[in-house]
């Protein structure tokens, strides 16, 4: 795949000839070196991105294999995570989602390998610091990187540093003329010079001022100059370092109609990287069509960007400006709080609807805080899941932001409703950060109900990633708090998680007790879905206790409940447990039928970690059925996708792969798998370490 991600270059690009020549020459002769451009005038809108994009387009012929681009949001409160960017880059380069690893180091390694032999230009825009971009730099000959940032990256080894200042008066006037038109400028040259001077020769300010004039044919240049001259404070700010950016945005903001200005101020309050039209309408308390008209008007003034149809975002500095407008008295505090409350209501109501659609009959949604917003409605489960994952970053940012805004209970409930984001592993890091913030806020507020739910949610994300001690600690606290609050959500979720943790750690009797408590709690709440899930988990423990008959029966009971309720995704969980039990019972053919169906459902529902775990169990079944080649294929798929249980479970996959390779006569490879598995299990102090040593002993003594 040949990516071509560069934003469009501006047709009226002006000046900067020495920089264009300098950077173009370096790109033209790039022989694998990484070349970084850092513009440090200290002023946003000085034209770093415009210059970089222009140079990159001119250099495209030197990079026939494509160009990558990302806005790293380095000037905002939450800069883009390198691992998230690497995932997007790998997809753009043709890597399937299933082949993209979880950790940043693995993604960076795969990224560099994918670039090997290609000539690709990478434009890293708006970087926070050198640490953020190091994993994103190409490591092979023939590639190059352009980096823009507000900081001078003196600690970026081998970088070519460029300090980009404001335009010269001649360049500023030339840019202004190109946008407005020579006819209007030639007759009022002095007035035009006054305008660009008032803009501080800052490219973005000049572009905004010129665009206003070009869109108003009845204005003369002198009219615009007079308007700027009347804004004494703004002129002072325009020439006062960092305040210049605010003064520049004031030019466009001052032209907004009252409704547009209100939308601009309120939308800037939300923390997410962008916002959908539906979410914006909820925040503004407006009809969707009215909200769209306002947003598109803001796009026309360059105060808001349209990231994609139906999605909008602020430049990071524009967002800060919008918030300053809202907080300096133009928006009463109660209105700011109401706007964010409406946004939280929208996300909670919609996420709860997704949860209910994915888990019909699950009583957890009945225990969430009620909302005034009805939430979006979806035609089917796929549409609902698409919404959840597309909104994940903004949704979690809203929950995190609400921890300190008097909306704690609803923020925690949003975390509970979005539990799929933790279970799938797709957004586990942000989910974890948000959960920890909400837990701490609840503890500080002496709110045991919210603290218990936050801890139960954290337990899930720790469990999925294989951090069992942390998961057990959070679930234990959640159980204690649930006893005092009598809250069914943590009272059910926490013992269920503790049972799974005990199973993974080989504490089967204790795990059985926890899961039986979870089953009793779910039954008391009338939660058939939860009961079925706990039954399937208990089946897993019975498998490890060699109680295969009861293991099969428990898994069948759970699967029957799921089937009876028409829950395809949850039925896949049941079939997964049933497949494991049937394998242990010596019925691998039946096991593979169940696991194959589970795999199909997990794939269709983006449950990547469950998909990997199912490949692992299919490898075990094929091995039991004397098909080592198929077993090895599935085990390798599991390693590529990753599995629930983190590194500890990865060690078990390696053990199975080693067995398959041994039966195929590939002794060296099997030895390598077991050696790696031993290192993992020794690190965790797991009982499996002794079993692996026994496997390696005959090989070592040969």
């Amino acid at each position: 795949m040949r990516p071509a991600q560069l934003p469009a270059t501006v047709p009226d690009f002006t000046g900067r000839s020495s920089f264009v020549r300098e950077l173009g020459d370096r790109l033209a002769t790039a022989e694998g070196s990484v070349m970084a451009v850092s513009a440090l005038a200290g002023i946003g809108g000085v034209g770093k991105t415009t210059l970089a994009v222009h140079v990159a387009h001119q250099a495209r012929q030197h990079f026939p294999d494509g160009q990558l681009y990302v806005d790293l949001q380095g000037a905002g409160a939450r800069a883009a995570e390198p691992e998230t960017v690497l995932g997007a880059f790998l997809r753009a380069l043709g890597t399937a989602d299933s082949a993209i690893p979880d950790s940043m180091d693995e993604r960076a390694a795969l990224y560099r390998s994918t670039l090997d032999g290609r000539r690709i230009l990478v434009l890293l825009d708006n970087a926070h610091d050198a640490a953020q971009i190091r994993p994103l730099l190409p490591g092979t000959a023939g590639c190059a990187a352009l980096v823009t940032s507000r900081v001078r990256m003196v600690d970026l080894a081998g970088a070519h540093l460029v300090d980009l200042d404001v335009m010269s008066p001649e360049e500023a006037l030339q840019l202004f003329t190109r946008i407005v038109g020579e006819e209007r400028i030639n007759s009022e040259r002095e007035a035009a010079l006054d305008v660009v001077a008032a803009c501080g020769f800052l490219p973005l300010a000049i572009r905004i001022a010129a665009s206003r004039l070009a869109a108003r044919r009845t204005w003369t240049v002198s009219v615009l100059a007079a308007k700027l001259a009347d804004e004494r404070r703004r002129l002072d700010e325009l020439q006062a370092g960092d305040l210049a950016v605010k003064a520049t945005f004031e030019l466009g903001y001052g032209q907004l109609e009252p409704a547009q200005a209100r939308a601009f101020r309120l939308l800037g309050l939300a923390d997410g990287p962008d916002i959908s039209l539906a979410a914006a309408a909820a925040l503004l308390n407006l009809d969707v069509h009215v909200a769209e008209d306002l947003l598109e008007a803001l796009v026309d003034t360059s105060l808001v960007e349209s990231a994609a149809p139906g999605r909008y975002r602020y430049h990071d500095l524009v967002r800060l400006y919008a918030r300053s407008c809202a907080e300096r008295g133009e928006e009463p505090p109660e209105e700011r709080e109401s706007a964010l409350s409406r946004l939280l209501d929208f996300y909670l109501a919609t996420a709860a609807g997704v949860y209910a659609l994915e888990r019909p009959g699950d009583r957890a949604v009945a225990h969430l805080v009620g909302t005034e917003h009805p939430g979006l409605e979806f035609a089917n489960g796929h549409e609902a899941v698409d919404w959840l994952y597309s909104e994940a970053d903004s949704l979690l940012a809203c929950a995190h932001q609400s921890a300190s805004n008097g909306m704690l209970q609803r923020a925690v409930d949003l975390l509970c409703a979005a539990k799929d984001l933790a279970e799938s592993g797709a957004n586990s890091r942000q989910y974890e950060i948000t959960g920890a913030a909400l837990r701490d806020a609840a503890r500080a507020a002496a709110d045991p109900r919210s603290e218990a739910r936050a801890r139960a949610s954290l337990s899930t994300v720790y469990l999925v990633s294989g951090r069992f001690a942390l998961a057990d600690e959070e679930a234990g606290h959640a159980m204690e708090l649930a006893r005092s609050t009598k809250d069914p959500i943590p009272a059910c979720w926490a013992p269920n998680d503790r049972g799974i943790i005990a199973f993974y750690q080989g504490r089967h009797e204790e795990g059985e007790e926890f899961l039986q408590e979870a089953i009793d709690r779910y039954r008391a709440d009338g939660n058939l879905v939860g009961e079925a899930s706990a039954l399937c988990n208990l089946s897993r423990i019975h498998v490890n206790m060699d109680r295969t008959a009861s293991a099969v029966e428990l898994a069948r009971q759970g699967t029957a409940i799921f089937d009876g309720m028409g829950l395809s995704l949850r039925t896949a969980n049941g079939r997964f447990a049933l497949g494991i039990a049937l394998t242990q019972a010596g019925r691998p053919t039946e096991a593979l039928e169940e696991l194959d169906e589970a795999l199909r459902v997990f794939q269709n529902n983006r449950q990547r970690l469950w998909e990997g775990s199912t490949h692992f169990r299919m490898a075990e079944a094929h091995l039991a059925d004397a098909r080592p080649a198929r077993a090895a294929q599935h085990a390798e798929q599991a390693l590529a996708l990753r599995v629930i249980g983190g590194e500890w479970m990865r060690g078990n996959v390696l053990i199975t792969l080693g067995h398959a390779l041994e039966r195929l006569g590939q002794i060296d490879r099997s030895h390598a798998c077991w050696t790696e598995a031993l290192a993992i299990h020794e690190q965790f102090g797991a009982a499996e370490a002794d079993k692996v040593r026994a496997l390696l002993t005959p090989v070592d003594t040969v």
Side-chain angles (χ1 to χ4, degrees), residues 530-587:
E531 177 188 346
S533 177
L535 285 168
C536 291
N537 291 330
L538 185 56
S539 167
R540 302 276 302 279
I541 284 185
H542 281 212
V543 166
N544 278 25
M545 297 173 75
D546 292 327
R547 293 157 61 180
T548 53
S550 61
V552 171
E553 178 57 27
L554 286 167
R556 288 199 187 281
Q557 289 177 23
T559 303
I561 293 174
F562 289 137
D563 278 337
M565 302 182 75
L567 304 177
S568 61
L569 180 55
R570 300 306 140 193
T571 299
N573 293 119
R575 296 190 186 284
F576 176 83
L578 182 55
I580 294 172
L582 289 168
T583 298
Q584 186 69 16
R587 297 152 65 180

Side-chain angles (χ1 to χ4, degrees), residues 423-672:
E423 290 186 343
S424 69
N427 298 84
S428 56
R429 180 169 181 178
Q430 190 179 355
Y431 190 98
E432 177 186 335
I433 292 170
T434 303
L438 293 173
R439 174 202 60 199
D440 295 345
R443 185 168 53 197
D447 182 349
R449 176 262 194 200
S450 295
E451 184 180 351
R453 292 189 179 192
R455 287 186 180 276
S457 299
L458 273 175
S459 173
T460 299
V461 76
Y462 288 141
L463 173 57
V464 167
S465 62
R467 290 172 285 174
F468 302 130
L470 287 173
D472 199 46
E473 179 183 355
E474 296 293 350
H477 284 304
M479 285 181 66
E480 292 176 10
L481 291 165
R483 292 188 182 102
S484 64
T485 62
K486 302 188 185 305
D487 184 355
I489 289 181
C492 294
W493 288 7
N496 188 59
D497 278 359
R498 295 197 79 183
I500 299 170
I501 294 162
F503 156 71
Y504 281 144
Q505 294 181 331
R507 298 180 283 113
H508 303 311
E509 290 80 7
E510 190 177 354
E512 188 174 19
E513 292 177 8
F514 283 130
L515 287 170
Q516 190 57 59
E517 178 178 350
I519 291 169
D520 294 341
R521 296 281 189 181
Y522 279 123
R523 285 173 176 166
D525 191 39
N527 192 332
L528 283 174
V529 177
E531 177 188 346
S533 177
L535 285 168
C536 291
N537 291 330
L538 185 56
S539 167
R540 302 276 302 279
I541 284 185
H542 281 212
V543 166
N544 278 25
M545 297 173 75
D546 292 327
R547 293 157 61 180
T548 53
S550 61
V552 171
E553 178 57 27
L554 286 167
R556 288 199 187 281
Q557 289 177 23
T559 303
I561 293 174
F562 289 137
D563 278 337
M565 302 182 75
L567 304 177
S568 61
L569 180 55
R570 300 306 140 193
T571 299
N573 293 119
R575 296 190 186 284
F576 176 83
L578 182 55
I580 294 172
L582 289 168
T583 298
Q584 186 69 16
R587 297 152 65 180
T589 301
E590 295 174 65
L592 285 166
E593 291 177 0
E594 302 292 343
L595 291 169
D596 189 63
E597 177 61 21
L599 181 64
R600 182 187 64 79
V601 175
F602 288 140
Q603 289 172 332
N604 290 340
N605 286 272
R606 304 186 190 181
Q607 296 293 311
R608 185 163 163 266
L609 292 179
W610 277 105
E611 184 183 345
S613 295
T614 306
H615 276 294
F616 168 43
R617 299 305 179 178
M618 294 179 79
E620 290 183 324
H622 279 295
L623 199 60
D625 205 26
R627 288 184 281 189
R630 294 295 304 278
Q633 291 173 359
H634 283 287
E636 287 170 346
Q637 276 284 86
L639 291 173
L641 290 168
R642 310 289 286 181
V643 293
I644 291 175
E647 278 295 288
W648 174 79
M649 187 58 78
R650 179 170 167 270
N652 291 338
V653 178
L654 287 165
I655 293 172
T656 298
L657 178 57
H659 282 302
L661 294 171
E662 182 189 41
R663 295 188 189 182
L664 290 169
Q666 300 180 32
I667 305 302
D668 289 344
R669 289 187 64 199
S670 68
H671 179 275

Side-chain angles (χ1 to χ4, degrees), residues 13 15-29 35 51 54-55 58 160:
F13 181 85
R16 310 297 200 188
S17 56
S18 63
F19 292 111
V20 171
R21 183 168 55 254
E22 176 185 358
L23 299 175
D25 289 345
R26 288 187 63 86
L27 288 176
T29 59
M35 187 259 289
L51 172 62
H54 181 78
V55 170
Q58 287 197 335
H160 174 65

Side-chain angles (χ1 to χ4, degrees), residues 253 256 260-268 298 303 314 318 321-322:
Y253 179 69
L256 298 178
Q260 296 170 351
R262 172 183 176 269
F264 174 72
R265 293 191 301 267
L266 291 182
L267 288 171
L298 293 174
L303 290 171
Y314 285 85
V318 178
Y321 173 73

Side-chain angles (χ1 to χ4, degrees), residues 342-361:
R342 290 190 296 267
L343 180 63
L344 178 60
D345 253 20
F346 165 78
Y347 282 131
L348 175 55
T350 308
V354 175
Y355 188 102
L357 195 59
E358 283 292 285
R359 301 172 173 85

Side-chain angles (χ1 to χ4, degrees), residues 171-414:
E171 288 177 333
L173 183 60
Q174 185 181 5
L175 174 60
F176 191 76
T177 303
R178 285 191 175 183
I179 297 173
V180 175
E182 290 187 4
E183 182 179 350
R184 298 173 74 182
I185 299 302
N186 288 341
S187 61
E188 297 185 271
R189 182 177 176 82
E190 290 301 318
L193 286 172
D194 289 342
V195 169
V196 296
C199 290
F201 310 112
L202 194 68
L204 182 57
I206 295 164
R207 187 172 296 280
I208 292 175
S211 296
R212 289 175 57 200
L213 183 60
R216 294 161 176 81
R217 302 302 301 177
T218 59
W219 284 15
T220 64
V221 180
S222 298
V223 168
L224 177 60
K227 287 182 176 292
L228 293 176
D230 286 342
E231 299 173 348
R232 297 182 186 277
R233 182 180 63 83
R234 294 178 184 178
L235 285 174
D236 292 339
E237 291 177 349
L238 194 61
Q239 300 175 24
D242 288 341
L243 295 178
V245 175
K246 290 186 177 182
T248 300
F249 294 136
E250 197 76 40
L251 295 173
Y253 179 69
Q255 297 301 311
L256 298 178
E257 298 293 332
Q260 296 170 351
R262 172 183 176 269
F264 174 72
R265 293 191 301 267
L266 291 182
L267 288 171
L269 298 173
D271 267 356
D274 63 1
I275 191 167
S276 68
L277 176 58
L283 183 147
L284 296 171
N285 197 24
L286 294 172
D287 174 81
V288 170
H289 298 296
V290 175
E292 184 175 22
D293 289 342
L294 290 174
L295 286 163
E296 289 299 326
L298 293 174
V299 171
D300 290 340
T301 64
S302 300
L303 290 171
V304 171
E305 299 175 6
S306 181
R311 298 200 74 85
Y312 301 89
R313 68 186 179 197
Y314 285 85
H315 182 280
D316 43 21
L317 296 177
V318 178
R319 185 198 301 276
L320 294 176
Y321 173 73
R323 288 182 177 180
S324 72
C325 290
E327 293 166 1
R328 69 189 181 192
E330 295 184 45
E331 216 67 59
E334 57 271 20
E335 175 59 11
R336 301 199 300 267
E337 293 172 6
S338 295
L340 290 174
S341 179
R342 290 190 296 267
L343 180 63
L344 178 60
D345 253 20
F346 165 78
Y347 282 131
L348 175 55
T350 308
V354 175
Y355 188 102
L357 195 59
E358 283 292 285
R359 301 172 173 85
D362 192 320
R363 291 272 301 157
V365 291
H367 304 300
L368 301 177
V369 174
T371 60
E372 295 183 9
H373 196 287
L376 298 176
E377 294 184 1
F378 301 102
N380 52 61
H382 285 296
E383 186 178 305
V385 171
D386 285 344
W387 177 88
L388 182 63
Y389 285 98
S390 66
E391 291 289 338
D393 289 341
S394 297
L395 178 153
L396 291 172
C398 179
H400 195 160
Q401 182 178 19
S402 301
S404 59
N405 283 339
M407 298 177 276
L408 181 57
Q409 289 198 355
R410 280 181 293 154
V412 170
D413 282 3
L414 177 55

